[in-house]
Amino acid sequence: MSTLPVVFSAFQTRKMDLLSNKWIINLIFCLFFIASLSGDVGVLHVLESEANLDWVLKTGPNPPYMVILDSTLFTRSIMMKLKTGSSRVAGVVVVAPSSNPAEGFSPHTTCPNENSGVYSESYDPALAHCNVTVWNPLGNGLSYEEYDFPMFSLKDDNDTQAIKQCYYNHNHVVNGSSPQYPLCAMQLYSHMSAVTDTATCMRRNGINFSLNPEIVCDPLGDFNVLASTRPLNYTDKGHKMGESVVIAAARLDSRSFFFDIAPGAESAASGFVTLLAAAHALRNATQEAQPNRNILYAFFQGETFDYIGSSRLVYDMENKQFPLDLDNVHSVVEIGQVGLHGESKLWVHTDPVSRRNSSVNEEVEKLIRNLNSSALNLNFSLQEPSFSQPLPPSSLQRFLRARPIPGVVIQNHNSAFTNKYYESMYDNAEYLNMSYPPNLTPEEQLEYVTDAAKALTEAATIVARALYTQAGGSDPIQLQNINVDSQMVTQMLYGFLVKSNNSWFQQMVPSDFAIHLRERPTNFYVGVTQQHSEPTLLVQYLLANLTGTTVNITQDNCQNQREGEDDKESKHIYSYMWVQGAAPPNSTERVAFCVRSTVRLSKALSPAFDLEEYTSKDYSTWTESRWKSIKGRIFLVASHELEMLTLGVGVAVLIASLMLTYIISSKADILFSSGREPTAATY
């Protein structure tokens, strides 16, 4: 710590014995070290109702309190009161529920990505700031408040019940009387390095006073996952003459109040699973009868945090850092929240401002007609909202900020979101209606086609057929043969929203990634830049398997991105992936193989960090603090008087020990001297 050299120099001027000097210095160092490790400590209090807040904020005699509350009390009203009285609050622990609240809950804002979309003072101000449509009316904004105390989430399991029992045994108020010591207390460790804002922490990252400078925060970011129906040469950047591309987009990320619980079932998974299924259904059709236009599948990361992924792709296209530019983009089809919850209707959203351009409007109308014709003979209908309604939060808005591009966003809502749990821990498999009959094994659940899978299969079929037509495909037989496999859709939903460690996912991934498959739902939080998150890698592997082809080459050649020893060109247009495959019946040995595809990862880092514009109004500037290990513990704490008595006795013993050490050290030559024998002793 920076104060230690000062402490050292102060003691080195004293004429004390080296032994006692080191002893005191080590003691002070230990005190500093212990202080640096201490977390937030408070007396446990289980909040039973909002009326019970007075005990925490006013009348309780033993502040600060560590408040434990069930999810039903995790509301804006209660949290704002705790925030206001934060001097008496040491921390908050939220007990996650076993089922979703019927009334809905969204800790996001009512106007997601309000300042980073297309609608602004320069692009139809009347549509900016959700003036026309409040997209997320249940949003309470809790995720965007600043709190002066740590907040943890716990599962409602045996450990949580033990914590509550400790409270009821020692701290529970009976008949209005104060609880008696000892009291049950909790300590939460959640030290974070960054402070203030992104500009401040990035500036501190750049301060270099040592060989190993401390990084206090990292930009949010990951990688976009891209693939095309015709290969692109990624060494040749910029405009491609004669190339016209339809972008089929979906977002990969979600969030909740707690960073490690971001299931994103409807907000993210429903859209990208639909696009993955559509891409698979198009594989044969686009290979056997290539449409005139290329289709670029784009799975964007970081869209929750001001469109990190899509804004990066647009930036790269504008600055010749991508194999295409915006002139090559014919149109955009984006799949958003398409979980249907028993409905059979989807809504096709468009931008009213760009449609004032007659050529853009003409292409948008063609695209809508393609979608409607694709829905014929299916149990779905497509409808358009009011022409004057703006686009909902979507990646398409970032393309429109650059130029007027024809595009649509397919959603399950007309105006406000139907998602009652937008960007919350309740946006999960339960909400998407992924229910299974009782007594099914995990393998049977993996194969069981849920109602959610049936609905998304229909939606994906519409998307696949519309993309084929939009890309210029005209073969009516091929069009009718484009059908999505409901079995595959249900397997993807199970893998992302129930547990990724299943037999189907295991076949699709390399052996070194298989150990990272989990017995839990995927966390769709974007994380920090230059790290491959779990959903990014899973979508990369799935997209490669679903759109690529198996090639008969060796593992060494496959992993070295080549089809032969002398092949130097294939790696520029294809990617190669050695996946572990399935084990044949009655065998434990998997049959691995090589998949060749057009799948690529592209950087999903906000351009603001490359440009060092940390207060940018044009690009996302979200960062995440570095932190130490996160943990907590409970213990019994004695009364203040007993603590003071113990401290006093300890200080007295310390002072006596120091004095005794000093006296013994100063008189050491007398106390420990030995008599000398005479030089001429006679025996």
Side-chain angles (χ1 to χ4, degrees), residues 330-390:
H330 173 267
S331 52
V332 176
V333 178
E334 181 174 352
I335 298 93
Q337 302 181 95
V338 290
L340 287 165
H341 311 284
E343 297 289 331
S344 58
K345 183 190 303 180
L346 289 173
W347 296 85
V348 182
H349 295 260
T350 60
D351 171 42
V353 180
S354 60
R355 291 185 69 178
R356 295 169 190 166
N357 180 307
S358 59
S359 61
V360 170
N361 185 58
E362 182 180 348
E363 288 296 334
V364 170
E365 288 180 345
K366 286 181 183 178
L367 181 48
I368 294 173
R369 285 197 297 271
N370 289 339
L371 285 164
N372 282 316
S373 63
S374 300
L376 295 176
N377 303 320
L378 296 175
N379 298 320
F380 265 74
S381 65
L382 294 170
Q383 297 190 19
E384 296 179 66
S386 166
F387 187 87
S388 61
Q389 180 170 280

Side-chain angles (χ1 to χ4, degrees), residues 243-540:
E243 186 78 73
S244 180
V245 175
V246 177
I247 295 179
R251 56 180 277 196
L252 276 183
D253 67 304
S254 183
R255 69 167 300 183
S256 77
F257 188 89
F258 300 101
F259 83 96
D260 57 344
I261 312 175
E266 179 159 313
S267 61
S270 68
F272 75 70
V273 166
T274 297
L275 184 54
L276 282 170
H280 176 254
L282 281 168
R283 176 173 62 181
N284 292 337
T286 54
Q287 289 176 353
E288 293 172 7
Q290 276 281 356
N292 298 329
R293 299 187 184 96
N294 204 346
I295 301 174
L296 178 68
Y297 305 112
F299 298 84
F300 293 125
Q301 266 286 13
E303 298 300 273
T304 302
F305 296 93
D306 294 325
Y307 307 118
I308 294 174
S310 56
S311 64
R312 182 65 197 218
L313 182 62
V314 171
Y315 175 84
D316 288 346
M317 285 183 168
E318 290 179 314
N319 291 277
K320 297 184 178 180
Q321 298 178 22
F322 191 75
L324 302 166
D325 66 8
L326 291 173
D327 288 332
N328 293 122
V329 179
H330 173 267
S331 52
V332 176
V333 178
E334 181 174 352
I335 298 93
Q337 302 181 95
V338 290
L340 287 165
H341 311 284
E343 297 289 331
S344 58
K345 183 190 303 180
L346 289 173
W347 296 85
V348 182
H349 295 260
T350 60
D351 171 42
V353 180
S354 60
R355 291 185 69 178
R356 295 169 190 166
N357 180 307
S358 59
S359 61
V360 170
N361 185 58
E362 182 180 348
E363 288 296 334
V364 170
E365 288 180 345
K366 286 181 183 178
L367 181 48
I368 294 173
R369 285 197 297 271
N370 289 339
L371 285 164
N372 282 316
S373 63
S374 300
L376 295 176
N377 303 320
L378 296 175
N379 298 320
F380 265 74
S381 65
L382 294 170
Q383 297 190 19
E384 296 179 66
S386 166
F387 187 87
S388 61
Q389 180 170 280
L391 281 171
S394 53
S395 306
L396 175 57
Q397 292 200 29
R398 292 302 302 195
F399 287 88
L400 291 172
R401 280 183 66 141
R403 64 177 57 190
I405 294 175
V408 299
V409 179
I410 303 172
Q411 301 269 19
N412 61 5
H413 56 88
N414 176 13
S415 53
F417 295 161
T418 57
N419 188 351
K420 300 190 298 182
Y421 309 111
Y422 184 73
E423 309 292 31
S424 80
M425 57 184 170
Y426 308 117
D427 186 10
N428 51 24
E430 175 190 341
Y431 178 57
L432 205 58
N433 197 25
M434 285 179 58
S435 56
Y436 300 92
N439 304 320
L440 291 186
T441 66
E443 195 65 25
E444 291 170 337
Q445 288 182 342
L446 174 66
E447 303 296 330
Y448 180 80
V449 181
T450 62
D451 291 339
K454 293 175 184 176
L456 292 187
T457 298
E458 297 275 282
T461 299
I462 294 173
V463 170
R465 291 178 179 177
L467 286 172
Y468 178 76
T469 307
Q470 185 68 9
S474 56
D475 187 332
I477 297 176
Q478 284 285 7
L479 183 65
Q480 288 305 311
N481 288 336
I482 296 174
N483 291 291
V484 169
D485 181 6
S486 60
Q487 190 78 49
M488 185 188 63
V489 173
T490 208
Q491 290 170 327
M492 283 194 285
L493 288 175
Y494 182 88
F496 284 112
L497 302 180
V498 179
K499 63 175 185 177
S500 59
N501 189 19
N502 61 75
S503 60
W504 194 66
F505 272 23
Q506 288 167 3
Q507 299 174 31
M508 302 284 192
V509 302
S511 57
D512 58 350
F513 181 76
I515 59 174
H516 298 292
L517 298 177
R518 298 287 181 254
E519 301 287 330
R520 54 155 176 76
T522 304
N523 177 24
F524 289 107
Y525 173 65
V526 60
V528 296
T529 187
Q530 301 306 319
Q531 292 184 4
H532 297 73
S533 68
E534 182 183 2
T536 295
L537 292 174
L538 285 174
V539 169
Q540 177 193 11

Side-chain angles (χ1 to χ4, degrees), residues 54-97:
D54 275 352
W55 182 267
V56 174
L57 302 178
K58 295 179 182 178
T59 61
N62 308 113
Y65 287 97
M66 192 68 67
V67 181
I68 298 181
L69 51 86
D70 288 328
S71 59
T72 54
L73 297 175
F74 186 46
T75 64
R76 182 173 181 85
S77 172
I78 289 178
M79 291 309 302
M80 290 303 98
K81 290 177 181 178
L82 291 173
K83 177 181 176 179
T84 303
S86 58
S87 61
R88 291 177 58 92
V89 179
V92 171
V93 177
V94 180
V95 180

